[in-house]
Amino acid sequence: MTENSQKPSVLIDVKDLNSGYGDRQVLYDINLSVNDGEILVIMGGSGSGKSTLLKNMLGLKEPSDGRVLVHGLDLSNASQSELLKLRRSTGVAFQGGALLSSLSVGDNIKLPLRQHTDLDENTISIMTRLKLELMSLADCEDLMPSELSGGMLKRAGLARAVIMDPKILFFDEPSAGLDPVTSVELDQLILKLRKAMNMTIVVVTHELESAFTIADRIAVLADGELVTTGSVDEIKACTDKRVANLINRSPRDVQIDAEKYLSRLTKGAK
Amino acid sequence: MFAQIEKLGASVIQKFEEVGRLSVFLYHTVLGLFSRPFGFQELLKQIAFIGARSMPIILLSGLFTGMVLALQFYDVLARFGSVDLMGSAVSLSLIQELGPVMTALMVIARVGSSTCAEIAIMRNEQQFDALTCMAINPYRYVMAPRLLAALISIPLLTAIFNLIGIFGGYVVGVFIKGLSGTAYMQTIIDTIIWSDLRMSIVKSFLFAVIIIWIAMGKGFFVHLEKGVSGAESVGRVTTKAVVASAITMLFADYIASSFLI
């Protein structure tokens, strides 16, 4: 399904999205667009709904209401072949790498090329090594995923995500669980990828430093709602309490109902 | 009282939902067999895992099963003065029943459990999400080669179990109990007919589907396990997969026997 009214510069358009798990709603009326060639960072604390939003944007989860358009294609109504075609031009780097544990790092990165192209093995090997060099993983081609560190797994996952030279790249939590130096290296890598391959990149993170370094625009999620969207300076200047709390790393102001608190403490006591 | 009826109803609905989910899973896996490109490398790897590496336990368990059968039949047949029928008794028991069932139980213990755990860990580590995002159908790439490998390997393992079991019976009957080797083999040739072999073949194919289907399906839906996550959920689905495949296999054995005897 093609949206003719859509502006050509918008690659991903999230419209009135509601999503959840069973009876528990996680996202409320999200409206968000990602423009061609930009790096959009989706930022929010734990439980803010950013991973659920990413799943919806990837078409891995059906929204309970609203829709997600990628290249004008409504993910909920798209045919299987339309989805497959779209996914071949999209790369996803998962939080823990999500490398297939039964394949070596090299074979993991070669997998999309072997499955979707008729390229000969020599060309596939050269392309794989190019990406491994780019990610500083030149010596890791024959290692198994279990032999890599957390940062290396993320970079190998990124190498696999970009092996088909995708137009859009999604990156889930690039800095989570990494030391500051490796984290900065990954941020630089993301900027390098955008420059070299002119990709549109959507990054989900809760790391402020990383978001401020790489983002063209930042979307802030809190409690399943999109609080605001804007450039780094706009977000820094935002007066909304929830955004300010996130930026200033202030703990949430939790109101305690004394009666409910007591009843929780004494639950089951005789 | 009402709360208990409600609980019972909820658990029945849950079971039906699970059967429905697993049936759709099997349907997609079978479709995956006919999708291209088929994972031949994965198929060979799985044949090596399910078939070749199960050989030692199949050989040992087949040998001992045949030997125990011979000891027991010798005792029973001697009471009727029919020890000459030892070959037919051992071979019929093995081919019709014990070969397919014992092989299936060995494969459930060795392959079913590890396949279920492997698939569950792949789910927990988002490997299926990654495959889907790479436009690679997980049913075609991961499940279909395993199903085909089980359909090739388990009937062959059953045939090997039957043969080694008959040999085990020969060892006890001829070398320990002093029966005639020629008579032992001749009664087998005279007794075994095509329908006996057909039963062994049909059962082994049926059991192959049940074992690999339940192992893969339980692992694939590990994220739907209520109240557990991570390593605990993998342990729980693996146990459930082993129990469910053993019971389903024995139930299918009864149904198949009642149709084929």
Side-chain angles (χ1 to χ4, degrees):
Chain A
M1 200 164 89
T2 310
E3 289 276 302
N4 294 327
S5 59
Q6 197 173 286
K7 288 180 195 169
S9 63
V10 175
L11 271 192
I12 304 170
D13 205 358
V14 180
K15 289 183 173 175
D16 305 320
L17 181 77
N18 285 278
S19 186
Y21 303 91
D23 297 333
R24 191 168 60 91
Q25 188 164 352
V26 176
L27 294 176
Y28 300 87
D29 293 321
I30 305 286
N31 282 287
L32 178 69
S33 57
V34 184
N35 298 322
D36 193 2
E38 78 171 344
I39 298 182
L40 176 86
V41 173
I42 300 170
M43 209 167 75
S46 299
S48 58
K50 46 189 198 307
S51 296
T52 308
L53 177 58
L54 182 70
K55 278 186 182 171
N56 277 280
M57 289 169 96
L58 294 172
L60 292 174
K61 183 162 173 42
E62 277 282 305
S64 46
D65 198 16
R67 41 193 198 147
V68 177
L69 304 162
V70 182
H71 284 296
L73 185 77
D74 185 343
L75 298 185
S76 305
N77 296 328
S79 68
Q80 198 58 31
S81 62
E82 283 174 322
L83 270 180
L84 286 180
K85 196 176 160 199
L86 177 70
R87 282 179 171 145
R88 281 177 207 182
S89 63
T90 309
V92 186
F94 286 87
Q95 193 174 345
L99 299 183
L100 299 191
S101 37
S102 57
L103 299 180
S104 69
V105 173
D107 285 338
N108 260 290
I109 297 167
K110 288 171 186 169
L111 187 63
L113 291 173
R114 284 180 175 153
Q115 292 285 316
H116 300 311
T117 69
D118 296 323
L119 295 171
D120 62 89
E121 251 331 281
N122 280 336
T123 315
I124 289 177
S125 289
I126 291 168
M127 287 176 76
T128 303
R129 282 172 201 150
L130 270 172
K131 294 291 190 274
L132 283 169
E133 289 283 348
L134 185 67
M135 306 294 161
S136 315
L137 289 171
D139 302 329
C140 302
E141 190 179 350
D142 297 323
L143 296 181
M144 294 306 282
S146 56
E147 295 172 287
L148 300 190
S149 69
M152 290 160 104
L153 278 173
K154 274 186 204 280
R155 278 182 282 150
L158 184 57
R160 188 179 65 182
V162 297
I163 190 74
M164 298 278 282
D165 294 338
K167 187 87 187 89
I168 308 171
L169 172 70
F170 292 90
F171 205 153
D172 190 9
E173 299 279 9
S175 319
L178 296 184
D179 65 85
V181 176
T182 316
S183 174
V184 170
E185 281 172 3
L186 260 179
D187 290 343
Q188 294 308 317
L189 204 56
I190 292 170
L191 290 170
K192 200 155 86 176
L193 276 175
R194 199 260 298 263
K195 201 173 170 193
M197 298 159 88
N198 197 27
M199 282 176 193
T200 304
I201 303 178
V202 178
V203 178
V204 170
T205 187
H206 62 268
E207 298 280 339
L208 291 169
E209 289 301 320
S210 170
F212 291 156
T213 310
I214 58 176
D216 292 322
R217 280 195 310 138
I218 298 178
V220 181
L221 279 180
D223 303 321
E225 289 171 12
L226 184 62
V227 183
T228 186
T229 312
S231 66
V232 173
D233 291 336
E234 283 167 346
I235 295 295
K236 281 179 177 171
C238 184
T239 51
D240 187 286
K241 203 178 171 192
R242 288 181 289 182
V243 179
N245 278 350
L246 191 70
I247 291 173
N248 301 325
R249 297 183 165 98
S250 310
R252 276 174 289 190
D253 190 12
V254 183
Q255 297 289 333
I256 295 178
D257 180 327
E259 210 168 300
K260 284 184 183 168
Y261 178 66
L262 266 177
S263 95
R264 280 202 300 272
L265 290 183
T266 52
K267 193 175 155 192
K270 286 173 187 170
Chain B
M1 176 69 181
F2 278 117
Q4 277 175 340
I5 294 173
E6 208 172 284
K7 213 172 164 187
L8 183 72
S11 104
V12 171
I13 291 171
Q14 207 180 320
K15 283 283 163 225
F16 272 105
E17 273 177 2
E18 190 178 3
V19 171
R21 215 167 30 233
L22 288 177
S23 306
V24 175
F25 173 86
L26 182 62
Y27 167 75
H28 284 297
T29 304
V30 172
L31 280 189
L33 285 174
F34 302 100
S35 308
R36 294 287 168 270
F38 188 78
F40 281 104
Q41 217 173 347
E42 188 63 18
L43 174 68
L44 292 178
K45 206 167 130 186
Q46 289 303 322
I47 290 176
F49 173 61
I50 301 173
R53 276 183 242 146
S54 296
M55 281 293 282
I57 60 162
I58 291 299
L59 290 174
L60 282 173
S61 52
L63 183 71
F64 292 130
T65 305
M67 289 170 80
V68 170
L69 269 182
L71 278 180
Q72 292 197 333
F73 275 124
Y74 185 84
D75 183 44
V76 174
L77 292 172
R79 296 181 200 184
F80 299 103
S82 318
V83 283
D84 293 345
L85 294 174
M86 170 87 101
S88 357
V90 169
S91 58
L92 269 177
S93 310
L94 279 167
I95 291 170
Q96 286 196 350
E97 185 60 32
L98 283 172
V101 169
M102 288 293 291
T103 306
L105 285 174
M106 291 296 148
V107 174
I108 287 170
R110 208 190 78 84
V111 176
S113 54
S114 78
T115 299
C116 179
E118 187 187 349
I119 303 268
I121 289 169
M122 287 178 78
R123 165 66 78 191
N124 282 348
E125 289 184 352
Q126 291 187 296
Q127 294 180 30
F128 292 119
D129 286 346
L131 282 170
T132 306
C133 290
M134 285 189 279
I136 298 170
N137 179 353
Y139 293 100
R140 169 181 64 76
Y141 185 77
V142 180
M143 311 302 170
R146 283 174 164 79
L147 175 64
L148 190 57
L151 283 169
I152 293 169
S153 306
I154 295 176
L156 286 173
L157 289 174
T158 305
I160 292 165
F161 188 100
N162 289 340
L163 285 174
I164 199 79
I166 289 170
F167 171 72
Y170 183 94
V171 169
V172 169
V174 176
F175 297 122
I176 299 176
K177 297 293 180 188
L179 299 177
S180 147
T182 323
Y184 181 89
M185 295 312 293
Q186 193 57 48
T187 52
I188 295 175
I189 293 163
D190 293 343
T191 320
I192 302 299
I193 53 173
W194 163 240
S195 66
D196 302 321
L197 296 175
R198 188 186 61 191
M199 184 181 287
S200 205
I201 294 166
V202 169
K203 280 184 178 180
S204 61
F205 276 109
L206 188 63
F207 297 166
V209 174
I210 289 169
I211 295 166
I212 208 73
W213 168 41
I214 293 178
M216 294 191 305
K218 287 271 185 191
F220 193 68
F221 295 113
V222 65
H223 57 299
L224 300 178
E225 276 298 301
K226 289 205 170 79
V228 282
S229 61
E232 199 184 351
S233 65
V234 176
R236 188 183 284 188
V237 286
T238 306
T239 308
K240 280 185 177 177
V242 168
V243 173
S245 16
I247 290 174
T248 314
M249 183 272 291
L250 290 170
F251 176 66
D253 183 40
Y254 171 74
I255 301 287
S257 298
S258 57
F259 277 104
L260 292 169
I261 280 180

